[in-house]
């Protein structure tokens, strides 16, 4: 035998699994079996040019000048051990580990960290398993024995070794390939933060996102601030991290204000050292190229372009890499799957049982967080109504619900619900350790708003005057002007949809805002001094809208279509009515109402219509004609609402106003008086009133 190799050496350590138990149970058979074991191992080492440095009880330590010889020797030895007909009741199972490095040769033995690491690699395995370190794998990856392969088992912390080691398993059809987890101190699983509170709901979203990770390299979660994108991404990553040999890693991009530092922030999160003179993206590409890792890139919207370029480069270099990004809008690169994150489900306000509430994610979240603030709190018959109202008015937005729930320390649920008109002052005081924008609801929305360009902000603010959604045509009429060109409105609305600030309802081809976003935008609109002009344009748009539909309302062939279109925008019609009453244009409001009174009553109720007429009648600047018409309409609605006495009084007042002004009495006033008389079974009074009604109507 020649001299032991020096310089860079590949070391093989072996160890017999369960030897103590076998010696205790079968001492005579073990003597013969161990002798054969030693012979097989020594022959395999020497046949492949290796040197047995020494035996170590039930194993041996060997050295090889070439890594491929060491790997071939280990495989041959394992195959012979498997094929041997042992005299024991069970075969001998030997764990083997290989590592390559520089070592000091002194007095026929080796010393140094490479020797220790090789021994620790071996100790991490199981009987019948061959483990190979990263250094050795890199030397032999293109020259493994026939039919053999190297399976990446990820990074592991080896006992008594400071730096984690990437470990591979040498597999071959002739030997066992399925083993338990490695016997290491801890698998390097990433840097995901521990979940400090329970994750509520999102069962469907979790399943869909997890499935997406097997189909596409990049999934981007989009949604409004506070909707729970980060929580969903982290919960998915925590549940999936065992499938990623190289762990799951969080890259928090919110603090990154310079887009040029996105790559550096990613390297820091992964623990990758930048190399002098090499772009950090190339360092990351090389580090991730053969790793199976999951990255969560959180809060990408303010550095979107830089993140898109980085992710595009990384997934191209690392086929096993998976990325979950959270952003207000998609990254816009090939292979990306975009998943909008919806608000939590909220129950209906009527007919809700406690069991219904237990099935509602938003209610469960409120109850859980409220109990943390006040352990005596519970959702029961006394609190259920208020809690439902809170969750509905907060649009099921998790951050808003959590902030509201925290208020139970100081006020009851009913008081919280009553104060939601002041939600941006009420919903503050989140966790002091949370990101600053998650400590108040306004801060969460400010984060998105501040990323808009000036014209996008104007359009966003003005869209808040709509209620119940809008069409693109309506948006063009209401938003355009005073700094916004009509031709750019549609493009900006689409961009706001992409940024998760506006919602699109594809079936009806309509757009809308969450109520929380609408209140936020309207606050900005008021602060800008633009609210009055925007609401005036809105009112004018819907006056024209109702005027277009009025002639067809009495055409039986188009009734259903006209009603559907008016119903779709009824909330906007009502908003326009409210604005005109508030701004002193009550007569315009009456014209709007009277033109579609049949729709108003059908959509709401006669009682609601009566209340709106009474609001308009409270204005002091109505002309006698307008007042007489309004009183007549109010009389009809009061009769339909089941209040004939009020109806008769209003109709009489309408007639008196018309007579005093010398104008025609509204026909409906006389008709209502006749119907009231019929209701009272006073046919003698009813007949002349109804005859006069017919004459007025014909006129």
């Amino acid at each position: 035998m020649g001299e032991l190799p020096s310089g860079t050496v590949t070391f093989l350590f072996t160890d017999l699994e369960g030897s103590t138990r076998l010696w205790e149970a079968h001492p005579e058979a073990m003597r013969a079996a161990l002798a054969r074991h030693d012979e097989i191992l020594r022959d395999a080492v020497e046949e492949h040019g290796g040197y047995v440095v020494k035996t170590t009880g039930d194993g041996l330590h060997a050295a090889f000048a070439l890594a491929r010889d060491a790997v071939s020797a280990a495989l041959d030895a394992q195959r012979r051990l498997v094929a041997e007909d042992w005299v024991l009741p069970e075969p001998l199972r030997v764990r083997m580990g290989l590592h390559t490095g520089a070592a000091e040769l002194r007095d026929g033995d080796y010393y140094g960290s490479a020797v220790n690491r090789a021994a620790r690699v071996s100790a991490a395995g199981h009987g019948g398993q061959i483990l190979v370190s990263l250094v050795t794998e890199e030397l032999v990856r293109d020259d493994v024995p026939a039919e053999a392969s190297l399976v990446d088992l990820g990074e592991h912390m080896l006992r008594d070794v400071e730096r984690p080691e990437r470990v591979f398993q040498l597999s071959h059809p002739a030997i066992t390939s399925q083993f338990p987890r490695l016997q290491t101190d801890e698998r390097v699983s990433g840097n995901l933060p521990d979940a400090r509170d329970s994750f509520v709901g999102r069962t469907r979203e979790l399943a869909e996102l997890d499935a997406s990770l097997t189909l596409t390299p990049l999934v981007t979660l989009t949604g409004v601030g506070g909707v729970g994108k980060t929580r969903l991404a982290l919960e998915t990553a925590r549940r999936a991290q065992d499938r990623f040999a190289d762990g799951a890693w969080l890259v928090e991009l919110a603090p990154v204000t310079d887009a040029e530092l996105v790559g550096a922030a990613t390297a820091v999160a992964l623990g990758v050292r930048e190399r002098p003179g090499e772009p950090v993206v190339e360092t990351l590409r090389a580090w991730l190229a053969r790793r199976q890792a999951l990255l969560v890139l959180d809060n990408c919207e303010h550095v979107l372009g830089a993140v898109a370029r980085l992710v595009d480069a990384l997934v191209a270099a690392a086929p096993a890499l998976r990325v979950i990004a959270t952003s207000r809008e998609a990254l816009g690169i090939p292979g990306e799957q975009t998943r909008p994150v919806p608000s939590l489900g909220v129950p209906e306000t009527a007919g809700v049982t406690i069991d219904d509430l237990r099935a509602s994610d938003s209610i469960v979240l409120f109850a859980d967080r409220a109990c943390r603030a006040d352990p005596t709190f519970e959702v029961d018959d006394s609190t259920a109504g208020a809690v439902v109202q809170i969750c509905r008015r907060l649009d099921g937005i998790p951050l808003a619900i959590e902030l509201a729930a925290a208020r139970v320390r100081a006020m009851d649920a009913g008081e919280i619900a009553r104060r939601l008109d002041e939600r941006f002052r009420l919903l503050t005081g989140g966790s002091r350790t949370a990101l600053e924008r998650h400590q108040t609801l306004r801060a969460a929305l400010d984060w998105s708003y501040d990323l808009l360009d000036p014209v996008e902000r104007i359009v966003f603010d003005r869209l808040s005057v709509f209620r119940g959604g809008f069409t693109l045509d309506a948006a063009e009429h209401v938003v355009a002007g005073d700094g916004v060109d009509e031709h750019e409105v549609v493009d900006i609305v689409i961009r706001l949809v992409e940024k998760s600030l506006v919602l699109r309802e594809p079936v009806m081809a309509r757009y809308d805002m969450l109520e929380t976003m609408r209140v936020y935008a309207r606050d900005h609109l008021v602060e800008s001094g633009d609210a009055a002009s925007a609401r005036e344009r809105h009112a004018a748009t819907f006056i024209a809208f109702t005027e277009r539909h009025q002639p067809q309302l009495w055409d039986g062939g188009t009734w259903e279509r006209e009603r559907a279109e008016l119903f779709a925008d009824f909330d906007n019609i009502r908003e326009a009515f409210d604005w005109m009453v508030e701004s002193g244009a009550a007569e315009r409001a009456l014209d709007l109402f009277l033109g579609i009174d049949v729709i108003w009553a059908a959509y709401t109720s006669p009682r609601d219509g009566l209340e709106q007429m009474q609001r308009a009648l409270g204005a002091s600047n109505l002309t006698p004609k307008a007042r007489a018409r309004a009183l007549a309409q109010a009389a009809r609605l009061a009769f339909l609402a089941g209040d004939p006495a009020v109806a008769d009084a209003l109709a009489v007042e309408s007639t008196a106003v018309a007579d005093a002004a010398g104008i025609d009495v509204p026909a409906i006033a006389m008709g209502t008086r006749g119907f009231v008389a019929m209701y009272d079974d006073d046919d003698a009074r009813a007949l002349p009133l109804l005859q006069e009604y017919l004459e007025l109507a014909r006129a």
Side-chain angles (χ1 to χ4, degrees):
M1 182 180 292
E3 295 183 359
L4 292 171
S6 59
T8 300
V9 179
T10 298
F11 298 105
L12 167 66
F13 277 84
T14 75
D15 182 54
L16 177 59
E17 184 178 70
S19 61
T20 301
R21 175 177 54 80
L22 291 171
W23 275 110
E24 289 289 334
H26 313 284
E28 293 301 323
M30 267 297 286
R31 288 189 180 89
L34 192 58
R36 179 59 181 149
H37 158 276
D38 292 347
E39 182 181 3
I40 289 173
L41 293 179
R42 186 176 294 274
D43 288 349
V45 168
E46 293 177 352
E47 287 172 14
H48 288 278
Y51 300 82
V52 176
V53 179
K54 59 184 174 183
T55 58
T56 55
D58 296 331
L60 60 75
H61 171 201
F64 296 80
L66 299 176
R68 73 166 181 268
D69 291 340
V71 170
S72 296
L75 179 58
D76 274 359
Q78 203 66 268
R79 294 181 65 178
R80 294 176 192 181
L81 290 167
V82 170
E84 183 69 19
D85 186 14
W86 298 100
V87 295
L88 292 164
E90 58 184 280
L92 295 186
R93 295 181 176 86
V94 177
R95 61 173 65 92
M96 301 181 184
L98 298 105
H99 175 65
T100 304
E104 179 184 352
L105 177 61
R106 186 172 68 249
D107 298 329
D109 201 354
Y110 291 94
Y111 300 89
S113 62
V115 180
N116 296 332
R117 189 169 286 264
R120 295 305 180 221
V121 170
S122 174
H126 301 274
Q129 190 172 30
I130 304 172
L131 299 180
V132 177
S133 72
L134 174 62
V135 175
T136 306
E137 186 271 345
E138 289 177 334
L139 293 170
V140 302
R141 67 174 57 157
D142 297 322
D143 194 20
V144 294
E147 298 186 80
S149 61
L150 287 162
V151 179
D152 191 345
L153 302 182
E155 288 191 341
H156 293 262
M157 294 300 299
L158 304 176
R159 186 164 53 87
D160 299 330
V161 175
E162 182 177 350
R163 178 173 52 84
E165 178 62 58
R166 188 167 196 79
V167 180
F168 297 79
Q169 176 182 297
L170 183 66
S171 295
H172 188 277
I175 62 176
T176 304
S177 296
Q178 299 298 319
F179 298 96
R181 292 173 64 99
L182 297 188
Q183 303 178 91
T184 54
D185 285 352
E186 180 184 0
R187 178 176 170 177
V188 179
S189 57
N191 68 339
L192 299 182
D194 293 333
R196 297 191 178 185
D197 48 30
S198 60
F199 184 86
V200 174
R202 303 281 195 201
T203 302
R204 179 177 58 82
E205 289 91 341
L206 283 168
E208 291 176 349
L209 180 52
D210 187 70
S212 294
L213 293 176
T214 66
L215 302 174
T216 183
L218 167 64
V219 183
T220 301
L221 302 181
T222 62
V224 67
V227 81
K229 301 182 296 296
T230 299
R231 288 298 305 272
L232 177 58
L234 289 176
E235 185 66 19
T236 301
R238 290 187 188 103
R239 298 185 183 198
Q241 63 183 340
D242 284 345
R243 302 204 309 268
F244 291 87
D246 299 292
W249 304 82
L250 171 64
V251 183
E252 175 53 72
L253 294 173
V256 179
T257 56
D258 185 347
E260 296 298 320
L261 298 178
V262 167
T266 304
V268 169
L270 294 173
V272 176
R273 293 184 180 179
E274 295 188 52
R275 299 172 182 172
E278 180 180 71
V280 66
V281 65
E282 294 305 319
T283 305
L284 288 168
R285 280 166 59 92
W287 192 83
L288 287 166
R290 303 192 70 237
R291 283 178 161 81
Q292 185 183 17
L294 172 62
L295 299 188
V296 177
L297 301 178
D298 194 31
N299 297 295
C300 302
E301 50 278 320
H302 61 303
V303 284
L304 201 64
V307 174
R309 290 187 292 273
L310 175 67
V311 173
D312 196 37
L314 296 183
V315 298
L321 176 66
R322 292 293 181 267
V323 179
I324 302 175
T326 74
S327 177
R328 303 297 192 269
E329 58 185 305
L331 302 189
I333 64 175
E336 177 182 27
Q337 183 181 104
T338 304
R339 285 197 165 275
V341 178
S343 298
L344 294 177
V346 295
E348 297 298 326
T349 53
V352 179
T353 68
I354 298 299
D355 287 340
D356 293 333
L357 299 186
R358 293 194 181 106
S360 170
D361 288 349
S362 60
I363 303 296
V364 173
L365 178 64
F366 184 94
D368 180 84
R369 301 308 191 253
C371 286
R372 292 174 182 272
D374 177 4
T376 66
F377 179 86
E378 61 179 317
V379 177
D380 54 23
D381 291 338
S382 66
T383 61
V387 173
V388 170
Q389 184 181 355
I390 290 167
C391 292
R392 287 189 66 82
R393 293 195 61 193
L394 294 178
D395 303 301
I397 298 174
L399 174 62
I401 292 171
E402 291 190 352
L403 292 171
R407 285 296 183 186
V408 302
R409 295 189 188 98
M411 60 181 71
D412 62 35
E415 183 67 17
I416 295 171
R418 286 189 292 275
R419 291 183 176 274
L420 285 183
D421 286 339
E422 306 169 2
R423 66 189 69 190
F424 295 113
R425 285 193 292 272
L426 176 68
L427 302 183
T428 62
S431 169
R432 292 187 179 90
T433 61
L435 295 172
E436 183 177 351
R437 67 180 182 281
H438 287 168
Q439 293 181 20
T440 72
L441 182 58
R442 179 176 289 280
L445 301 185
D446 284 345
W447 173 263
S448 295
Y449 188 80
D450 291 345
L451 295 175
L452 299 178
D453 67 38
V455 180
E456 287 174 337
R457 292 181 191 177
I458 294 172
V459 172
F460 175 67
D461 295 346
R462 291 178 183 174
L463 289 175
S464 68
V465 301
F466 289 101
R467 186 183 291 274
F470 55 90
T471 63
L472 290 176
D473 286 343
E476 287 179 312
H477 285 98
V478 173
V479 171
D482 297 331
V484 179
D485 188 279
E486 181 179 353
H487 300 295
E488 64 181 340
V489 171
V490 171
D491 287 340
I492 294 175
V493 170
I494 291 172
R495 292 209 298 269
L496 292 174
V497 172
E498 292 171 346
K499 297 173 187 293
S500 305
L501 295 173
V502 170
L503 306 175
R504 178 173 179 267
E505 206 291 305
V507 176
M508 298 290 290
R510 291 177 65 82
Y511 298 80
D512 203 355
M513 285 179 169
L514 294 175
E515 179 65 13
T516 297
M517 299 303 295
R518 196 180 73 83
V519 172
Y520 176 85
R522 181 163 285 195
D523 285 351
H524 278 282
L525 185 66
V526 171
E527 290 169 7
S528 72
D530 194 22
S533 59
R535 294 193 72 184
E536 178 58 36
R537 288 193 299 271
H538 176 272
T541 296
F542 284 96
I543 288 174
F545 174 75
T546 56
E547 288 175 346
R548 288 196 304 272
H549 285 278
Q550 285 171 18
Q552 285 76 41
L553 278 178
W554 301 105
D555 182 344
T558 62
W559 161 254
E560 288 297 335
R561 187 189 69 218
E562 300 299 325
R563 185 176 73 162
E565 292 186 10
L566 286 164
F567 274 15
D569 267 311
F570 185 82
D571 287 338
N572 280 310
I573 294 170
R574 185 162 194 156
E575 183 77 5
F577 179 89
D578 290 344
W579 163 248
M580 289 183 287
V581 171
E582 292 167 14
S583 61
E587 196 156 336
R588 289 175 69 201
L590 285 170
D591 288 340
L592 173 67
F593 183 99
L594 295 173
I596 58 164
D597 60 323
V598 63
I599 291 294
W600 199 293
Y603 188 87
T604 58
S605 68
R607 178 69 61 187
D608 176 75
L610 175 60
E611 291 173 359
Q612 304 315 311
M613 283 297 92
Q614 289 171 330
R615 285 180 61 208
L617 285 165
S620 60
N621 59 348
L622 289 177
T623 64
K625 182 178 180 179
R627 184 170 295 279
R629 291 174 65 207
L631 286 165
Q633 181 65 28
R636 186 179 78 89
L637 291 166
F639 183 75
L640 293 174
D643 201 339
V646 171
D648 192 57
L650 289 168
V652 169
E653 185 180 355
S654 173
T655 303
V657 169
D659 288 342
I663 59 177
D664 292 337
V665 173
I668 195 65
M670 201 62 66
T672 300
R673 292 177 65 187
F675 295 138
V676 170
M678 289 178 62
Y679 180 84
D680 291 338
D681 293 327
D682 189 349
D683 293 346
R685 184 164 60 93
L687 185 58
L689 290 169
L690 291 174
Q691 286 175 334
E692 188 172 355
Y693 164 56
L694 287 173
E695 292 172 6
L696 290 169
R698 289 192 182 104

